[in-house]
Amino acid sequence: MTAAIDANAVRAALAAVPLPGGEGDLGPSGRLAEVAVRGATVTAGIRIEPAEAAAFEPVRQAAEAALAALPGVEKALVALTAERASGGQSAAPPPKPGAAAAAPRGPAALAEVAHVIAVASGKGGVGKSTTACNLALGLRGMGLRVGLLDADIYGPSAPRLFGLHGRPRVREGRMLEPMDGYGVKVMSIGFVVDEEAAMIWRGPMVQSAITQLLGEVAWGTLDVLVVDMPPGTGDAQLALAQGTRLSGAVIVSTPQDLALIDARRGIAMFAKVDVPILGLIENMGVFVCPTCGSAHPIFGSGGARAEAERLHVPFLGSVPLSLGLRESSDAGRPVAACEPESEVGQLYARMAASVWERLRAPAGG
Ligand code: ADP
């Protein structure tokens, strides 16, 4: 029995949070942004200058505590958000080289997770989420304990891919229970954040929300946690790669040259934070005609393999552009779980096996 959340009470609770240095309260400061109530979850943003992040962390925590104390609120997620003057997505400042070498660290929720791996792409729409889902299931098929965190805030797709509905349960007033997707523990930013609100979030807010989410999920003991990264290689992605103790990253690319350029950026980004590349996966490699069965390399072929060789990163495989794969993905019946014997199902199993092999190999192996 959950009480409906009173939106006015939410605003009032946030407004009364004091700011540091006698700056008054949050309400009159004009710093409050994007307050949203979705079911028993409340999300909000606090606008800051990038340099104020440390000073405002206690405010963020106080705001979360104030929200959590309201009747009906099961989950409160407050993020610090810094807007850029230009507002342009591609105008991201270059990452600070010195910041990259920070010691690996991770939230306590990941204490029993042996390996966290990222599935990343230089741009959206290349099939990153489809790959992350099927790789996770491939690892699961090997008998491993696997989780998947869908951190793709601009288009969370794990609920659709795994055919999951509803909202995660909250344990001990704070920790979210992942949902079960064909034996994989699944958590999606789409379960807890209003999609329209998320779309307008700026980089730092995205990164703050994801880092919090990562730390507030009851993952339990896992062999591998697969993180479906937000597409692109901006500072939100870089910070995420730095803030989670990643064991490695898988890069997904289509054969088009442009996508490969983006993929190179992805590889460079992980190199900067000393995260090993577990491999490159080409997606939508050849088109297999569902009627005649013949293969057509519509976007060219062999580019990703050659590129992987050139960059000295392992090439994991090429997934065909397949109508069946799209249909089963959209229907929440992922190939790696529902058709493991199919060609594509076996391909994902092989790619998952090589990822696992590399994870277990000593560094540089
Ligand atoms: P991203 O995560 O990179 O944005 P998605 O995994 O969500 O991409 O895929 C985008 C769309 O392309 C989805 O509709 C998905 O079903 C489809 N898709 C992905 N990979 C393939 C493939 N190999 N063949 C056919 N459709 C695919």
Side-chain angles (χ1 to χ4, degrees):
M1 39 159 253
T2 40
I5 297 172
D6 177 352
N8 290 329
V10 166
R11 288 222 155 249
L14 287 169
V17 174
L19 299 182
E23 227 196 283
D25 294 339
L26 191 52
S29 71
R31 288 177 179 267
L32 205 50
E34 295 145 18
V35 180
V37 178
R38 188 186 182 196
T41 303
V42 184
T43 55
I46 300 172
R47 290 192 198 95
I48 56 160
E49 295 298 323
E52 295 174 321
F56 272 75
E57 177 56 24
V59 181
R60 188 192 70 68
Q61 287 178 14
E64 273 190 356
L67 290 176
L70 294 175
V73 175
E74 284 182 14
K75 180 83 189 153
L77 200 70
V78 178
L80 301 176
T81 169
E83 295 179 28
R84 287 192 197 103
S86 69
Q89 256 200 334
S90 57
K96 296 162 208 72
R105 61 190 176 86
L110 298 180
E112 292 166 63
V113 178
H115 296 284
V116 184
I117 66 170
V119 176
S121 64
K123 62 170 193 179
V126 303
K128 171 182 53 58
S129 302
T130 308
T131 308
C133 160
N134 284 291
L135 272 186
L137 289 165
L139 291 162
R140 176 74 197 124
M142 295 167 64
L144 297 169
R145 291 160 296 184
V146 184
L148 180 126
L149 175 72
D150 172 14
D152 186 350
I153 198 145
Y154 300 113
S157 32
R160 170 177 52 85
L161 284 162
F162 284 91
L164 293 171
H165 305 281
R167 297 212 182 82
R169 292 219 308 260
V170 182
R171 196 205 275 177
E172 291 153 21
R174 179 174 169 83
M175 300 300 277
L176 292 165
E177 289 274 5
M179 295 211 188
D180 179 80
Y182 301 95
V184 169
K185 288 183 176 177
V186 182
M187 178 53 61
S188 171
I189 195 108
F191 289 148
V192 289
V193 169
D194 182 65
E195 215 171 306
E196 278 156 37
M199 289 298 284
I200 55 166
W201 284 6
R202 309 302 192 280
M205 187 160 177
V206 170
Q207 135 204 342
S208 163
I210 294 170
T211 315
Q212 281 168 58
L213 183 62
L214 196 64
E216 291 176 11
V217 178
W219 292 112
T221 307
L222 293 181
D223 296 303
V224 189
L225 174 64
V226 178
V227 181
D228 182 0
M229 297 274 286
T233 49
D235 23 351
Q237 288 81 359
L238 188 73
L240 190 58
Q242 273 180 280
T244 47
R245 43 178 187 87
L246 288 179
S247 298
V250 171
I251 308 282
V252 182
S253 170
T254 65
Q256 287 128 302
D257 265 345
L258 195 67
L260 285 173
I261 291 167
D262 287 325
R264 277 200 286 274
R265 280 199 201 112
I267 290 171
M269 176 181 83
F270 287 110
K272 224 173 264 166
V273 288
D274 283 331
V275 172
I277 302 295
L278 299 166
L280 181 67
I281 293 181
E282 179 178 66
N283 191 38
M284 311 188 193
V286 296
F287 170 66
V288 179
C289 173
T291 332
C292 72
S294 57
H296 306 274
I298 291 178
F299 300 118
S301 79
R305 181 185 287 275
E307 188 62 27
E309 273 168 25
R310 211 180 63 74
L311 295 167
H312 306 292
V313 299
F315 181 70
L316 294 177
S318 177
V319 180
L321 178 63
S322 138
L323 182 63
L325 179 56
R326 197 203 55 74
E327 284 174 345
S328 52
S329 302
D330 287 349
R333 297 188 44 77
V335 170
C338 300
E339 298 164 60
E341 299 309 322
S342 67
E343 241 174 79
V344 176
Q346 289 187 21
L347 173 60
Y348 282 123
R350 281 199 302 277
M351 296 194 297
S354 29
V355 165
W356 181 239
E357 210 173 284
R358 277 169 227 286
L359 281 175
R360 300 187 66 199

